[in-house]
Amino acid sequence: EPIKINLTDKATPATVANFFDYIKAHQYDNALFTRLVSGFVLQGGGAAINAGGTSLSAVPVGPTIPSEFGASNVQYTIAMALSGANPSAPDVNSGTNQFFINLVNNNASGANNLDAKQFTVFGTIDPSSKAAITALAATQTKDASTAVTVASVDLTALPLPGYTGATPPVTNGANGILNADITNYMTINNVTINKQDEFLTYTVSSDTSPTVVKATFAANHGEQLVFTPQGIAGTTTYTVTATDRFGLS
């Protein structure tokens, strides 16, 4: 069932751009949700399964991105996973390919305050998909950490829907789980972008005669150009530059 996510492009442009980089490179195709902690989070993006469902491998890791922490880690939000030598104080600028969905309020009102550790929320689960997330959260998990190894991916609570093999799972010899096929993993088949609004910021990059008329963009209306006469007759030419969320002009 498709899960719809509304991303916060304006509030977290670098984080959303990073997420799009992985999507557009198809690196989340056949990626897995690899960690499910009931009453906490559902995490994925770091490992993928091959077409035959026999072998797990790491999703290629891109550059780290700067923290854009702001919105609270409330239920049904999606946030960047972080890493660091101290799990109690992760590096806020270490986000790459892994992300998680908050299954409950993981803020000051909950048992796990992720806001205190500044995990960047960059989207919300669409109301139409909340039931699907609730259903996924009820999936059984197994500690597969002794059967499968994927760099930087926690497999101690791997969701394995319908799996009836050994507990704990054992390896199939190919970095997969014996007696598990692709249907036993919580797989992200593919990710598509239904709508991508383009947010531009505008600046007056040159003004040939600022002593004639001064041009600025209104602070509260970024697309409204305001002209202020300076009391001197003459003509002037302005150049306006538009910059997208990736910093391209």
Side-chain angles (χ1 to χ4, degrees):
E1 179 178 349
I3 296 173
K4 296 181 180 180
I5 303 172
N6 301 313
L7 301 177
T8 52
D9 305 62
K10 285 188 174 180
T12 56
T15 309
V16 171
N18 173 75
F19 195 60
F20 281 159
D21 285 344
Y22 286 98
I23 292 172
K24 291 177 179 178
H26 298 283
Q27 291 176 350
Y28 285 148
D29 294 358
N30 293 322
L32 303 178
F33 284 107
T34 50
R35 179 177 178 234
L36 170 58
V37 181
S38 180
F40 185 36
V41 299
L42 174 62
Q43 183 169 330
I49 189 82
N50 67 343
T54 58
S55 180
L56 275 68
S57 60
V59 170
V61 178
T64 57
I65 55 173
S67 173
E68 292 180 310
F69 172 73
S72 181
N73 282 267
V74 296
Q75 186 180 30
Y76 298 123
T77 54
I78 182 171
M80 288 302 302
L82 301 174
S83 61
N86 182 2
S88 298
D91 180 356
V92 298
N93 300 312
S94 62
T96 54
N97 57 0
Q98 295 193 58
F99 57 88
F100 61 87
I101 297 169
N102 285 296
L103 301 177
V104 296
N105 289 335
N106 289 315
N107 55 9
S109 68
N112 298 288
N113 187 359
L114 298 184
D115 288 358
K117 299 176 183 179
Q118 298 190 10
F119 284 85
T120 295
V121 168
F122 63 98
T124 59
I125 302 300
D126 190 84
S128 65
S129 295
K130 289 182 178 180
I133 295 299
T134 300
L136 292 178
T139 303
Q140 68 167 345
T141 63
K142 301 290 182 180
D143 183 352
S145 59
T146 59
V148 180
T149 301
V150 180
S152 302
V153 176
D154 183 350
L155 296 169
T156 57
L158 178 67
L160 289 172
Y163 171 75
T164 58
T167 298
V170 297
T171 183
N172 63 1
N175 208 41
I177 295 174
L178 187 66
N179 296 323
D181 60 31
I182 198 166
T183 65
N184 296 127
Y185 295 93
M186 195 179 288
T187 308
I188 303 171
N189 293 325
N190 59 73
V191 182
T192 58
I193 302 169
N194 289 332
K195 181 181 179 182
Q196 181 179 358
D197 295 327
E198 188 59 78
F199 297 110
L200 300 175
T201 57
Y202 300 91
T203 56
V204 178
S205 52
S206 69
D207 179 355
T208 58
S209 299
T211 57
V212 176
V213 178
K214 183 178 180 180
T216 56
F217 283 95
N220 297 325
H221 302 279
E223 298 177 358
Q224 180 180 345
L225 188 58
V226 178
F227 296 100
T228 306
Q230 302 299 295
I232 298 176
T235 61
T236 185
T237 301
Y238 301 104
T239 301
V240 173
T241 301
T243 304
D244 67 14
R245 72 188 74 179
F246 305 105
L248 299 176
S249 301

